Amino acid sequence: MNPGVEIIQSYFPNLSERQVEQFKKLEDLYSDWNSKINVISRKDMDQFYIHHVLHSLGISKVMQFQPGTKILDIGTGGGFPGIPLAILFPDTHFHLVDSIGKKITVVKDVVKQLKLTNVEAQQARAEELVRKYDFVVSRAVTRMINFYPWVKNKIRKEDINEYPNGILYLKGGEVDEEMEELGKSYVVYHLEDYFKEDFFETKKVVYMPWEDKR
């Protein structure tokens, strides 16, 4: 068994055989693409399952998406956090968007190879999108004060999950000063409360519920 996949299984013991196989395939797919395009930094590939897959899945420790939930992953890069979350939540629809075409090429290929039917990948800028979603996820593509205006009109008002719709943002280091710039309510979840690896000591999920219920 791949030791990286074993780590994933230790935290997510209820994965189906299909999900385990999909997680197993990820490393080879990204290693192959990385030899052609630098999708993931070389040093990070050595810790692929912790730094990318498990980190992405940190969002699921905060929010268990209900079937039919629609998720927008902005600035997905090579497909994080969207692809690991799409494997974990096969009944949830994920729209993965990045402005860089070659990264979306990688995402589309990985989605095809894994036979993920719940993922749509698109080269676009956030502000061009017109659809509405239950949640917007991202791995800290920019400061929240810049990110928020891109997505504030893209969140649906009707909630179908345990928590109100909103933004789930993976971030490292200090977040309070940055979040205070925006003056919106938010909750910080520390991933070191869920994962024991040293990498997660400074890693957080910031949840910002959608306030405008008019």
Side-chain angles (χ1 to χ4, degrees), residues 14-28:
N14 300 321
L15 295 174
S16 67
E17 281 181 35
R18 174 178 164 81
Q19 287 170 313
V20 172
E21 280 305 309
Q22 287 171 323
F23 280 125
K24 252 191 230 172
K25 282 182 179 170
L26 280 179
E27 187 168 31
D28 285 345

Side-chain angles (χ1 to χ4, degrees), residues 72-112:
L72 172 63
D73 178 0
I74 289 273
T76 188
F80 301 97
I83 284 177
L85 289 170
I87 295 173
L88 192 65
F89 296 108
D91 298 321
T92 294
H93 184 269
F94 291 83
H95 188 186
L96 276 51
V97 173
D98 202 283
S99 60
I100 299 171
K102 64 183 181 181
K103 292 186 173 175
I104 289 299
T105 299
V106 174
V107 173
K108 285 182 173 176
D109 182 65
V110 171
V111 166
K112 185 176 160 195

